[in-house]
Amino acid sequence: MTFPKPSAERLAASEEALRSLPGYTNHEPGEKEFAVLDPSTEERIATLKSLSPEEAIAEVAIADEAGRAWAKTTPRHRSDTLHNAYTLLIANKERLAFVISREMGKTFAEAQGEVQYAADYVRWYAEELLRPAGGYRENPVGGSTILTKRVPIGLSLLIAPWNFPMAMITRKIAPAIAAGCASVIKPAGLTPLTTLLTVELLVEAGVPKELMRVVTTTQSSAFSEAVLADPRVRKISFTGSTSVGSTLMGLAAKNIVKSSMELGGNAPLLVFDDADLERAVEGTMLAKLRNGGQSCVAANRIYVQEGIADAFVEALSEKMSQVVLGNSIAEGVGLGPAINRAAVNKFQHLVDDAVAHGAELRTGGRTPEGAGYFFEGTVLDRVPTEAEIANTEIFGPIAAISRFSTQEEVLQRANDTPFGLASYVFTENLDRALNVADALETGLVGINNGVPSNAAAPFGGMKQSGLGREGSHEGLEEYQEVRYYNIARREST
Ligand code: SIN
């Protein structure tokens, strides 16, 4: 197996990007410190402070005060600041992408795509905040007029995952800034460096540094408990697992803190006989391999109709076998490492279990020898429902395919899950596309489209996949309260 390593030039550029991080250090972690590793090599690339819950509360105080002043700024000022931030983030695309790629393991090309995706949220909210949604209503029995307006919700706790370390931060912080709110931000312990650089660039663009307080910590539970118990915190936005989301909602309930939850997925992807084969294969590769499959919206259960199944499996396996696995910043790599060893062990277990239950391994399925958390792009065909992989969020580069006969049957199977984030349908029949999309119990549906995410779209799930939406104008409303003025009126002469 060819296993590309980065060129000296790329390695040097990525080292420079790391060294340019605010307060960068890289030494054996002491007490109250933790290391950040490169999943391609398992080497330490940075050492950070792990803040205590008490230190986090000090950050709450700083942010709360800054938020009160920021809430009074004009929409134009906030918009101009976010526009500056967009320009600066794009100007630093390579630097940010190197940091993302080194700490998270997605390929450098994908990391550059993530910087654009992340910056798109900043630009979207720079534009969106200038069009505040308000309303005018008449009291139906007369005697008063009602005006509604949206006001900042207040101090927001933003907890981000490791899989999109920049986009999941900007998707939360840009609407918070736009709405006039301060934030306390907790990045994932595995990928805090991107957040530190993103926030530094936002400060350089003109966002007050007191408004966005980053807390790096290994004491996640104690941190959330302390911060959510503080009455100054009025909002939580969390992206991560359903079980952690449920715990956080329990904590948020004590102070009636508004919650946005972007939680687990188990996305079905449906390919009908009348699909365009090439389009379906391309779309499935994207829906499966984007971010190495480490996405809540990754195609998890792939259902293919009998008439197209052989050709589809053949073509998908061919494409998957051509994907080059290697160090995330190496040239020509199409699939980087998984986030950690536990993930790779899980993938191996799922593949072995599926094969033991009768699934056919068409390509991949192995962990290469040596350092780094690598797993081959894999296709499994005829996966039986009893296999663990058919009932688990894989979060990795394994396409688990099973076959179906009728639309009715596949809809029943696709919806047979407590999750409801994303789904995909491939068909050239417009009626089928819309009817199937309407019947799928998910918050977003990619129709002949393997990447439905977009800053202009309201991203979010149904059922146990979450509450609330991120992106679009719905994402701004998550950081606002509705207030109305009921103005009494009487006849005047
Ligand atoms: C996620 O995996 O949580 C986000 C994916 C996306 O924004 O497309």
Side-chain angles (χ1 to χ4, degrees):
M1 180 194 296
T2 55
F3 201 80
K5 299 260 185 302
S7 62
E9 203 183 8
R10 279 227 175 151
L11 198 54
S14 74
E15 290 291 329
E16 200 183 315
L18 290 172
R19 279 194 302 272
S20 78
L21 290 167
Y24 181 72
T25 54
N26 185 8
H27 53 256
E28 190 62 43
E31 214 194 320
K32 299 189 185 158
E33 288 182 328
F34 66 102
V36 181
L37 304 184
D38 177 342
S40 291
T41 60
E42 304 183 41
E43 284 166 9
R44 191 184 65 232
I45 54 173
T47 307
L48 293 182
K49 281 206 180 84
S50 173
L51 298 192
S52 67
E54 294 73 33
E55 287 168 309
I57 293 302
E59 299 298 328
V60 167
I62 296 170
D64 183 54
E65 197 182 325
R68 289 172 199 281
W70 187 250
K72 292 186 187 136
T73 57
T74 63
R76 179 59 72 196
H77 175 73
R78 297 200 294 276
S79 173
D80 287 350
T81 308
L82 285 172
H83 274 298
N84 288 345
Y86 173 81
T87 307
L88 206 57
L89 293 174
I90 294 300
N92 283 274
K93 189 183 264 188
E94 287 219 338
R95 186 176 162 211
L96 282 157
F98 274 124
V99 175
I100 294 173
S101 193
R102 287 294 301 271
E103 71 171 343
M104 186 268 151
K106 72 181 66 179
T107 66
F108 182 56
E110 271 206 75
Q112 290 181 78
E114 178 175 347
V115 177
Q116 183 63 57
Y117 178 44
D120 282 348
Y121 284 101
V122 175
R123 178 168 56 178
W124 171 270
Y125 286 109
E127 293 161 351
E128 190 64 20
L129 79 92
L130 292 175
R131 285 167 266 288
Y136 170 90
R137 302 160 208 203
E138 288 294 353
N139 180 344
V141 294
S144 73
T145 288
I146 297 164
L147 299 181
T148 64
K149 67 185 286 193
R150 290 188 171 271
V151 296
I153 193 164
L155 182 56
S156 303
L157 169 60
L158 313 180
I159 305 184
W162 53 263
N163 61 341
F164 287 89
M166 184 174 176
M168 297 305 103
I169 289 289
T170 57
R171 188 150 95 180
K172 298 179 192 307
I173 197 160
I177 293 168
C181 302
S183 317
V184 170
I185 306 161
K186 194 191 102 44
L190 293 163
T191 57
L193 306 177
T194 307
T195 302
L196 294 173
L197 181 52
T198 303
V199 167
E200 185 186 63
L201 290 168
L202 294 181
V203 170
E204 208 178 314
V207 183
K209 70 174 188 307
E210 296 79 11
L211 198 71
M212 309 164 291
R213 306 304 296 174
V214 180
V215 176
T216 54
T217 184
T218 51
Q219 300 179 54
S220 300
S221 306
F223 162 84
S224 306
E225 271 170 42
V227 174
L228 281 169
D230 190 307
R232 290 170 289 194
V233 174
R234 298 310 317 140
K235 161 86 192 164
I236 173 170
S237 176
F238 169 73
T239 299
S241 71
T242 297
S243 65
V244 175
S246 164
T247 304
L248 291 172
M249 282 178 72
L251 295 172
K254 295 203 178 116
N255 280 346
I256 321 293
V257 170
K258 183 171 169 178
S259 305
S260 301
M261 295 281 147
E262 206 264 270
L263 307 177
N266 183 2
L269 182 149
L270 283 48
V271 181
F272 285 90
D273 284 346
D274 50 23
D276 175 316
L277 181 63
E278 204 181 312
R279 207 175 184 194
V281 170
E282 286 293 336
T284 306
M285 285 298 287
L286 282 171
K288 183 69 256 182
L289 270 205
R290 173 172 175 248
N291 219 29
Q294 301 173 113
S295 166
C296 305
V297 295
N300 205 52
R301 296 166 292 145
I302 302 174
Y303 298 115
V304 190
Q305 206 166 13
E306 294 288 358
I308 199 173
D310 286 343
F312 177 88
V313 171
E314 196 61 42
L316 190 78
S317 307
E318 176 66 21
K319 275 229 176 302
M320 191 68 91
S321 66
Q322 288 165 0
V323 173
V324 178
L325 180 66
N327 185 299
S328 64
I329 58 164
E331 288 84 350
V333 163
L335 177 62
I339 191 67
N340 56 23
R341 180 66 58 202
V344 169
N345 291 344
K346 172 181 148 187
F347 304 155
Q348 193 67 66
H349 165 74
L350 289 175
V351 170
D352 294 346
D353 173 78
V355 171
H357 279 88
E360 294 169 16
L361 180 62
R362 301 298 297 253
T363 188
R366 285 175 308 153
T367 309
E369 297 278 305
Y373 309 128
F374 294 99
F375 197 82
E376 294 173 327
T378 299
V379 176
L380 290 165
D381 189 16
R382 299 184 188 277
V383 173
T385 42
E386 313 78 61
E388 200 177 324
I389 200 165
N391 307 290
T392 307
E393 188 177 16
I394 303 168
F395 234 66
I398 307 169
I401 299 172
S402 62
R403 300 170 179 226
F404 71 91
S405 307
T406 66
Q407 180 176 310
E408 192 188 354
E409 172 210 337
V410 77
L411 281 172
Q412 193 279 323
R413 289 167 69 187
N415 288 333
D416 187 17
T417 164
F419 299 100
L421 181 56
S423 57
Y424 302 85
V425 51
F426 287 87
T427 170
E428 293 296 298
N429 178 327
L430 180 62
D431 289 325
R432 187 195 298 288
L434 295 177
N435 293 337
V436 167
D438 280 354
L440 287 165
E441 296 167 355
T442 60
L444 50 130
V445 187
I447 300 179
N448 293 320
N449 186 350
V451 186
S453 308
N454 190 291
F459 187 103
M462 298 177 177
K463 303 199 267 188
Q464 291 186 24
S465 286
L467 283 181
R469 294 294 180 264
E470 293 189 307
S472 184
H473 63 268
E474 288 90 346
L476 184 59
E477 289 167 8
E478 300 283 328
Y479 295 88
Q480 295 172 323
E481 297 274 20
V482 180
R483 171 185 288 158
Y484 73 83
Y485 302 140
N486 193 336
I487 307 162
R489 298 178 66 166
R490 59 186 171 205
E491 293 300 319
S492 59
T493 51

